[in-house]
Amino acid sequence: MTATDLKTVKVLGQTSEELSLSKREKHLIGLAVTLTRGCTACTNRRYKEALNDGITKKELIEMTDLVALTNAGVVARTALSSWDEENDDCIDGACSVK
């Protein structure tokens, strides 16, 4: 199986082409997502394409730091929100280690 066998990949390409976002915006958003999701193959390709399309290494480093800091903030907020004993949304045991 290859990516071209998947309808999802075809639709992804079509949808990306129809967006009013600039190529630069698409690069930066795509990189933020692949970094967050942890796909090294996608991230590697996206870094190379961004550099080839004129985004500087400095800008990519700053974007990477911002993604990392944003994720750290989400972790901190999730921990703080979850620490609140009155906030017990997961009452069916699905979130527990057994």
Side-chain angles (χ1 to χ4, degrees):
M1 174 173 44
T2 67
T4 57
D5 295 324
L6 301 173
K7 290 180 184 176
T8 310
V9 175
K10 292 175 188 171
V11 172
L12 177 63
Q14 291 168 346
T15 302
S16 181
E17 290 172 5
E18 296 171 3
L19 296 175
S20 62
L21 298 171
S22 70
K23 197 168 191 178
R24 176 186 174 80
E25 291 166 331
K26 290 177 189 178
H27 278 306
L28 296 175
I29 292 168
L31 271 163
V33 172
T34 61
L35 283 166
T36 302
R37 301 299 299 156
C39 181
T40 55
C42 293
T43 301
N44 181 280
R45 180 187 56 82
R46 286 183 175 276
Y47 272 133
K48 288 177 182 176
E49 287 180 359
L51 287 166
N52 287 336
D53 282 341
I55 298 176
T56 67
K57 185 175 178 181
K58 181 179 188 269
E59 290 171 316
L60 292 174
I61 290 169
E62 289 176 354
M63 182 275 313
T64 301
D65 280 335
L66 180 59
V67 169
L69 290 167
T70 302
N71 276 310
V74 169
V75 169
R77 175 49 50 205
T78 301
L80 292 169
S81 296
S82 300
W83 192 261
D84 181 3
E85 292 179 22
E86 295 184 29
N87 182 10
D88 192 11
D89 295 334
C90 187
I91 57 175
D92 62 0
C95 303
S96 300
V97 176
K98 298 183 183 191

